[in-house]
Amino acid sequence: RAAGYRAGINVLATIGHHDENLPYSLDEAYTRVTDLDGAVCRGCFCPNDEGMQGYVKRLYELVASAGPDYIWVDDDVRFRGHMPIRETCFCDTCLAIFARERGVDYTRESLRDALNTGPVAQRLELRRAWLQHARDSITRLLALIERTVHGLRPGLPLGFMTGDRFFEGYDFDTWAETLAGGDGAEVLWRPGGGTYTEEAPDAMADKAHAIGRQTALLPESVRRIQSELESFPYQRLRKSIHFTTLEASGYVAGGCTGTAFNVLSQYDEPLDEFEPLVAGLRRARPFLDVLVREFGRSRPAGLYSGWGKDTAAAINPEGAWHAPAATGAGTSNCNEILSTGIPAAYAPPEARVTALCGDSVLALDDAAIRRALSSGAYMDGAALTRLNEMGYGEWTGFRVARVLHEDCIEQFTAHPLNGAFARRLRNGRQSFWKCPAYELAPTDDAAQTVSRLVDYAYCETAGCCMGVFENRLGGRICVAGCYPWSQLQNLSKSAQLKSVMRWLSKDTLPGWVASFHRANLWVREPAPGRLAAALVNASLDPAERLALMLRTDNHEAAVYDVNCDETRVAAESVEGPYRRFVLPPIGPWHVCLITV
């Protein structure tokens, strides 16, 4: 404090973590978190247990009494990922609470059966109810912490560390308001999750998109949003200075206003090996400050993956909800599309196009579906089938005629959206990377074919596998029936995608990378008439003559590199509401800021 710093306390584990260090960890007769099979994590306790609540109250009394300037609640306050089990908590206490909420008594066995069998609509309704139960459980815990801390230290800022929290119901707006309390104390947020090394650089972009989701629901009152940049278990050679600073930039681009660098040793030892890292972060700070200043709390606009608070309810709707192979459909489906230079969005208000992926549409309510189908929607064949079954067929323009599992090659037609790439071929190699191909049949005369399917002798196997349609609501639809989310990295397919996304948005996309480069892009409008964009060259090759289309009337853009050196770039051409800017060279896995 004498040096001008605020000093706070980060609680390591409010309710526990994994089966780790058990001989020296809390070992009281409190209920351990429990999965649907009755297995427990011995290192983590149920937040609904009254004894555990007493412990939490005393813990935060001690922490608040130590005089910190702020307190962080840890990211292990969650119901998924407490090894050696997965989803929790299905202990007797939680089942009793759920019984009161539902008016139905369940054993673990009967609840498992109800979640995993029976009509899909019935399963989804029960799964949504369980997600609400999980939201409420975390809300009660945070309310206990808030009352305890603010009872001793009124107005003390409280922070919450998070990751993607689909199984917990993603109730970030409610949790932020709960931590603020009745007097509206400042709330801090620290989104994070994974990316401990630089072995897979794409993990940085994936985490930036996850952070975008985590910040999308936060109230405007939450201003200090510090990404957790984590290099656990803090071995210096596992992550370079360059990648560490790149991460911080990407996470600000996703929605943060700062970074918490969780990068130093976990041991009581000299920090000599970390001195170059800290010096490198100091050099990077001016650029990070510029990013934060330009973006503020404005939100990126572009392609939205269609995720929502209930997305987890639609995982494996006709099978076991917690099957090991079940994944969070509708969360990362767009990541490869975004790496072609399409800008990302994370919430419906900023969606210029909404992606609808497979079963995830079952988790959307009627208003969300109508909003997507009356604006711009990009969907796969599985989502098309679900939407038609749900009664939205008059607005989709197509139906699935067949599902093909082998030897399908996409061939572009002479449709205007394909431009000069008519008759180009794209083979996702179904024998290697299993992905069904969908033959589409138009259900409206206005539906148009963009691609067809051929076999290895180039004989037609399906007259349409990708089509577009404009419905009577004014919504524009694209159904992509052949590798809609992957195998998108060749020139013709990436160019087709950009043409389709622009058409779907009715020229409301704020920008995109028009050249053939691998790049991640976030574009915001921090003030009327102004655009600010962060762009990451997501390749080990330098990006030469990268062309960026921006929806602006300005004829000049300012480009800042990581050294804060500014280059002024004049627009090379105008195309409708867009201007084309060719950027200075961008190094491999480097970031730049563009303002107009």
Side-chain angles (χ1 to χ4, degrees):
R1 283 176 177 149
Y5 291 92
R6 295 192 306 160
I9 294 178
N10 193 125
V11 176
L12 179 64
T14 299
I15 61 173
H17 193 201
H18 300 320
D19 280 3
E20 181 181 21
N21 192 32
L22 294 178
Y24 300 97
S25 296
L26 183 68
D27 186 18
E28 296 293 333
Y30 310 145
T31 304
R32 265 71 174 181
V33 289
T34 307
D35 69 12
L36 262 174
D37 295 322
V40 303
C41 171
R42 293 176 296 161
C44 188
F45 298 86
C46 175
N48 287 318
D49 181 276
E50 288 187 5
M52 187 60 188
Q53 290 170 356
Y55 166 83
V56 170
K57 183 175 185 298
R58 184 61 180 143
L59 167 64
Y60 279 87
E61 286 174 346
L62 293 169
V63 172
S65 298
D69 295 317
Y70 49 83
I71 297 172
W72 285 97
V73 180
D74 58 289
D75 60 355
D76 298 314
V77 172
R78 61 178 189 253
F79 287 125
R80 193 176 190 277
H82 293 294
M83 294 186 285
I85 60 178
R86 285 167 53 93
E87 291 81 10
T88 69
C89 177
F90 299 92
C91 69
D92 292 342
T93 299
C94 286
L95 292 178
I97 293 172
F98 191 58
R100 293 196 296 270
E101 295 167 345
R102 296 280 295 170
V104 179
D105 287 329
Y106 290 103
T107 63
R108 272 185 288 277
E109 292 75 15
S110 65
L111 179 58
R112 181 175 59 239
D113 290 344
L115 290 168
N116 298 336
T117 61
V120 169
Q122 185 174 302
R123 298 187 209 187
L124 289 172
E125 192 274 333
L126 183 61
R127 293 177 183 184
R128 286 191 181 97
W130 185 265
L131 292 178
Q132 187 58 50
H133 162 81
R135 294 181 190 114
D136 294 342
S137 295
I138 292 179
T139 299
R140 286 191 293 271
L141 178 68
L142 297 179
L144 171 63
I145 292 170
E146 185 276 325
R147 289 193 305 271
T148 301
V149 171
H150 290 153
L152 293 170
R153 298 280 307 281
L156 185 71
L158 289 173
F160 194 15
M161 302 165 58
T162 60
D164 264 335
R165 291 292 178 260
F166 287 99
F167 187 70
E168 294 79 6
Y170 234 116
D171 211 12
F172 287 18
D173 45 356
T174 299
W175 297 338
E177 292 166 1
T178 300
L179 288 172
D183 294 331
E186 182 184 13
V187 172
L188 318 173
W189 216 263
R190 192 186 302 171
T195 313
Y196 302 135
T197 76
E198 62 184 9
E199 294 166 4
D202 272 345
M204 183 281 296
D206 294 349
K207 182 173 176 176
H209 297 319
I211 281 174
R213 291 188 290 270
Q214 294 171 57
T215 60
L217 299 179
L218 294 177
E220 284 296 316
S221 59
V222 181
R223 310 298 294 182
R224 297 177 190 265
I225 305 172
Q226 304 167 1
S227 66
E228 182 178 42
L229 195 157
E230 187 169 5
S231 300
F232 175 82
Y234 319 112
Q235 298 168 1
R236 268 288 291 119
L237 296 184
R238 288 163 60 93
K239 189 181 287 184
S240 64
I241 299 169
H242 172 74
F243 194 81
T244 304
T245 56
L246 176 68
E247 278 192 87
S249 304
Y251 303 156
V252 171
C256 294
T257 61
T259 298
F261 289 97
N262 183 7
V263 297
L264 300 182
S265 174
Q266 59 187 316
Y267 304 111
D268 182 13
E269 63 185 8
L271 296 176
D272 307 49
E273 66 198 87
F274 295 93
E275 287 182 6
L277 172 61
V278 175
L281 296 178
R282 183 179 183 181
R283 290 193 299 272
R285 178 157 187 167
F287 179 72
L288 298 173
D289 287 342
V290 170
L291 282 178
V292 171
R293 185 189 70 220
E294 291 293 334
F295 290 158
R297 284 285 277 119
S298 60
R299 300 174 187 270
L303 176 63
Y304 161 57
S305 69
W307 74 279
K309 287 188 176 185
D310 284 339
T311 289
I315 295 174
N316 206 16
E318 293 172 328
W321 192 20
H322 301 144
T327 59
T331 60
S332 61
N333 51 291
C334 288
N335 287 9
E336 188 168 329
I337 296 178
L338 296 173
S339 74
T340 67
I342 301 293
Y346 303 109
E350 293 75 47
R352 303 299 177 258
V353 179
T354 299
L356 301 173
C357 176
D359 294 329
S360 67
V361 298
L362 295 172
L364 301 177
D365 60 22
D366 178 68
I369 292 173
R370 288 174 181 267
R371 181 171 57 243
L373 297 183
S374 61
S375 52
Y378 174 88
M379 68 185 74
D380 58 20
L384 172 69
T385 296
R386 289 296 192 190
L387 289 169
N388 289 347
E389 291 172 349
M390 296 163 71
Y392 298 100
E394 65 175 304
W395 298 331
T396 64
F398 295 90
R399 64 176 177 85
V400 171
R402 283 187 302 162
V403 182
L404 306 170
H405 294 278
E406 58 187 21
D407 298 341
C408 291
I409 301 171
E410 180 183 14
Q411 184 175 45
F412 296 2
T413 68
H415 193 281
L417 289 173
N418 291 326
F421 298 104
R423 301 193 60 78
R424 289 287 184 98
L425 296 167
R426 168 181 173 248
N427 189 353
R429 295 283 180 175
Q430 288 175 297
S431 60
F432 285 84
W433 295 281
K434 305 297 183 182
C435 182
Y438 291 82
E439 179 183 9
L440 307 177
T443 58
D444 191 290
D445 291 341
Q448 303 171 22
T449 298
V450 176
S451 298
R452 65 173 189 157
L453 291 175
V454 298
D455 63 17
Y456 279 78
Y458 308 119
C459 298
E460 182 176 291
T461 56
C464 178
C465 73
M466 183 177 187
V468 294
F469 171 65
E470 187 162 359
N471 59 38
R472 63 179 179 83
L473 299 176
R476 291 183 173 181
I477 309 300
C478 176
V479 184
C482 183
Y483 288 91
W485 314 112
S486 62
Q487 310 289 351
L488 308 171
Q489 303 289 325
N490 62 318
L491 173 61
S492 57
K493 188 63 184 180
S494 61
Q496 180 203 60
L497 267 177
K498 294 168 187 178
S499 180
V500 165
M501 293 296 169
R502 179 180 175 182
W503 178 82
L504 288 172
S505 78
K506 296 183 180 179
D507 273 359
T508 63
L509 274 182
W512 71 91
V513 175
S515 53
F516 186 45
H517 288 91
R518 197 170 191 276
N520 285 100
L521 178 67
W522 295 266
V523 186
R524 305 155 182 254
E525 188 177 11
R530 291 191 64 246
L531 289 182
L535 187 147
V536 173
N537 173 19
S539 170
L540 289 174
D541 291 325
E544 305 281 352
R545 291 194 58 78
L546 185 148
L548 181 62
M549 302 293 288
L550 291 175
R551 196 177 194 277
T552 181
D553 294 328
N554 296 321
H555 292 279
E556 188 177 67
V559 183
Y560 300 88
D561 65 16
V562 292
N563 298 314
C564 284
D565 291 333
E566 178 184 352
T567 303
R568 291 279 172 171
V569 177
E572 289 197 348
S573 60
V574 178
E575 192 175 316
Y578 296 98
R579 279 163 173 74
R580 180 186 181 96
F581 299 92
V582 175
L583 305 187
I586 307 169
W589 285 101
H590 275 67
V591 61
C592 65
L593 169 70
I594 305 99
T595 62
V596 293

